[in-house]
Amino acid sequence: MSRNAKINTLLLLIVAALAVLPLALGLGDHKEEPFTGADAEAETAITELRPDYEPWFSPLYEPPSGEIESALFALQAALGAGVLAYYFGVRRGRRQGAARAEAAGAEGQGVKTAAAGGDVGASTADPGSGTDSGAAESRAGSSADGQDA
């Protein structure tokens, strides 16, 4: 088993333990709704500490039922996960594309390919003669004023 596989297995076991332990240990049994959200818990704590407290703001939209509220929350979570997955996919694709381009550049250095239609950017100069046939080929298609013929 590789090191990454061991780490992934360990992380999966930790997540499973975090999900199962509160249920197995009976945490929240003394409450009417044991696993309510933080908003409901905060509202309960505030009304217990200061019964005369009035909120500063009211919600822009209050769903008619808890099911609709849960569905909207799930939709929000799914959209957020999709945006994150898209971002990481694009980032990985760009990194892989750059690595492939770099590998192709390293392989093709000094090699002239007919499919590319000419130079790959490499020079075929003879060190002793002082001539550069690659530069001569690239100049052959240009006129004196630098415009292509």
Side-chain angles (χ1 to χ4, degrees):
M1 183 180 270
S2 71
R3 183 173 188 265
N4 285 340
K6 289 178 184 177
I7 290 172
N8 288 340
T9 304
L10 179 65
L11 289 173
L12 185 63
L13 288 173
I14 290 171
V15 168
L18 285 173
V20 173
L21 282 176
L23 297 171
L25 297 176
L27 300 176
D29 283 345
H30 62 283
K31 298 180 181 179
E32 188 176 315
E33 295 181 36
F35 298 108
T36 58
D39 292 344
E41 292 285 329
E43 184 179 344
T44 304
I46 289 170
T47 54
E48 285 177 5
L49 295 173
R50 298 198 45 197
D52 58 335
Y53 176 79
E54 289 188 31
W56 294 359
F57 301 102
S58 61
L60 296 175
Y61 171 72
E62 184 118 11
S65 69
E67 290 83 10
I68 294 175
E69 185 176 356
S70 294
L72 290 173
F73 182 74
L75 179 65
Q76 178 186 359
L79 286 172
V83 167
L84 281 174
Y86 175 78
Y87 168 74
F88 285 121
V90 166
R91 200 173 108 179
R92 181 175 182 183
R94 285 182 182 165
R95 192 174 338 132
Q96 286 177 345
R100 286 183 185 150
E102 187 176 304
E107 284 180 8
Q109 199 168 23
V111 177
K112 187 174 180 180
T113 60
D119 270 348
V120 184
S123 174
T124 55
D126 182 7
S129 69
T131 61
D132 185 3
S133 63
E137 284 178 13
S138 65
R139 284 192 300 270
S142 298
S143 64
D145 63 352
Q147 300 293 324
D148 287 339

